[in-house]
Amino acid sequence: GNSVTQMEGPVTLSEEAFLTINCTYTATGYPSLFWYVQYPGEGLQLLLKATKADDKGSNKGFEATYRKETTSFHLEKGSVQVSDSAVYFCALKNGAAGNNRKLIWGLGTSLAVNP
Amino acid sequence: DVKVTQSSRYLVKRTGEKVFLECVQDMDHENMFWYRQDPGLGLRLIYFSYDVKMKEKGDIPEGYSVSREKKERFSLILESASTNQTSMYLCASSSSGASTDTQYFGPGTRLTVL
């Protein structure tokens, strides 16, 4: 079946440090891959997505590349800010009909950025 | 701006009470979802709906039911609340179509059952 595994947190970094949050997946076919972010006290919002192999999603300085050969979608940012402190979720969607309407979620990685 | 609203941000109920959590979206989306979020367990899908009056069980439907009488509104019902249903509840919606569709989330309802 479909599954998503992401690195456990919490991750604690200093401002301007480089960030990587690992995400690997198991799926048949060609799923779409997503990163969502949840800021403190809020619901989730889409950060970026990629829909086919070698696609790079990017937003707010974050990037992730869809690597089919390694079944990975790692999230990176070159220089984090205190305002990036949040929980990050990796997810996949493998189709649009029936039960495939739902997203398959990783457990989330908490990031704390210190000034 | 797309919007998903939930009826309450915080709710406190007593064991055995019937609890209604309401979710409304203004994007004419076909799909709507209810999740609960607990520390260390991530997001777990309770129920989802892909059309009015249609519903599908998610991963943890026990103790919950749902209602979708209108396209924009999706209600989660706890028939008899228990302390182990204390959690953050998140509603989401998405359009039906490509697998690239984004889910849009409400701000969440933090439910405490005493």
Side-chain angles (χ1 to χ4, degrees):
Chain A
N2 301 317
S3 67
V4 174
T5 303
Q6 63 181 105
M7 65 186 281
E8 290 186 29
V11 174
T12 303
L13 295 173
S14 297
E15 209 164 21
E16 299 184 3
F18 184 85
L19 169 71
T20 300
I21 301 178
N22 290 338
C23 173
T24 57
Y25 68 90
T26 302
T28 55
Y30 300 90
S32 293
L33 301 173
F34 304 81
W35 277 102
Y36 281 77
V37 60
Q38 185 180 31
Y39 297 106
E42 298 182 14
L44 281 73
Q45 57 186 272
L46 179 70
L47 181 60
L48 54 84
K49 66 182 181 183
T51 60
K52 59 183 188 295
D54 300 324
D55 261 6
K56 179 186 281 189
S58 61
N59 187 24
K60 298 182 181 180
F62 290 87
E63 292 183 340
T65 301
Y66 187 167
R67 302 279 187 207
K68 190 155 178 67
E69 64 276 13
T70 54
T71 62
S72 65
F73 193 54
H74 304 322
L75 183 68
E76 296 183 337
K77 187 174 186 184
S79 176
V80 294
Q81 305 301 311
V82 171
S83 58
D84 294 325
S85 299
V87 181
Y88 293 81
F89 291 90
C90 185
L92 74 81
K93 192 163 183 281
N94 204 359
N99 223 28
N100 291 326
R101 287 178 173 85
K102 61 182 187 180
L103 282 166
I104 308 301
W105 295 91
L107 291 182
T109 302
S110 175
L111 170 67
V113 180
N114 298 318
Chain B
D1 231 8
V2 297
K3 205 162 185 183
V4 179
T5 56
Q6 295 183 228
S7 49
S8 307
R9 292 299 302 268
Y10 300 93
L11 208 52
V12 179
K13 295 292 181 180
R14 296 207 175 273
T15 301
E17 279 192 79
K18 190 168 186 176
V19 181
F20 293 86
L21 302 182
E22 305 284 339
C23 175
V24 177
Q25 50 95 3
D26 66 359
M27 296 164 281
D28 201 36
H29 282 166
E30 285 79 9
N31 303 321
M32 295 187 76
F33 306 83
W34 275 107
Y35 296 93
R36 63 177 284 176
Q37 182 179 16
D38 300 287
L41 298 177
L43 289 171
R44 292 182 291 168
L45 182 65
I46 303 171
Y47 269 97
F48 68 102
S49 168
Y50 55 88
D51 201 352
V52 174
K53 297 192 187 295
M54 304 303 289
K55 61 184 179 184
E56 293 283 345
K57 291 180 180 179
D59 302 315
I60 52 162
E62 297 78 19
Y64 303 93
S65 62
V66 290
S67 172
R68 193 160 180 209
E69 295 296 319
K70 293 185 178 181
K71 189 176 186 180
E72 68 270 20
R73 188 179 298 268
F74 192 37
S75 303
L76 179 70
I77 304 153
L78 287 65
E79 296 289 344
S80 177
S82 64
T83 55
N84 63 12
Q85 292 178 310
T86 291
S87 186
M88 171 69 88
Y89 289 88
L90 293 167
C91 176
S93 71
S94 70
S95 64
S96 190
S99 62
T100 57
D101 291 338
T102 300
Q103 283 191 14
Y104 295 89
F105 282 80
T109 296
R110 186 166 293 283
L111 173 67
T112 302
V113 183
L114 302 176

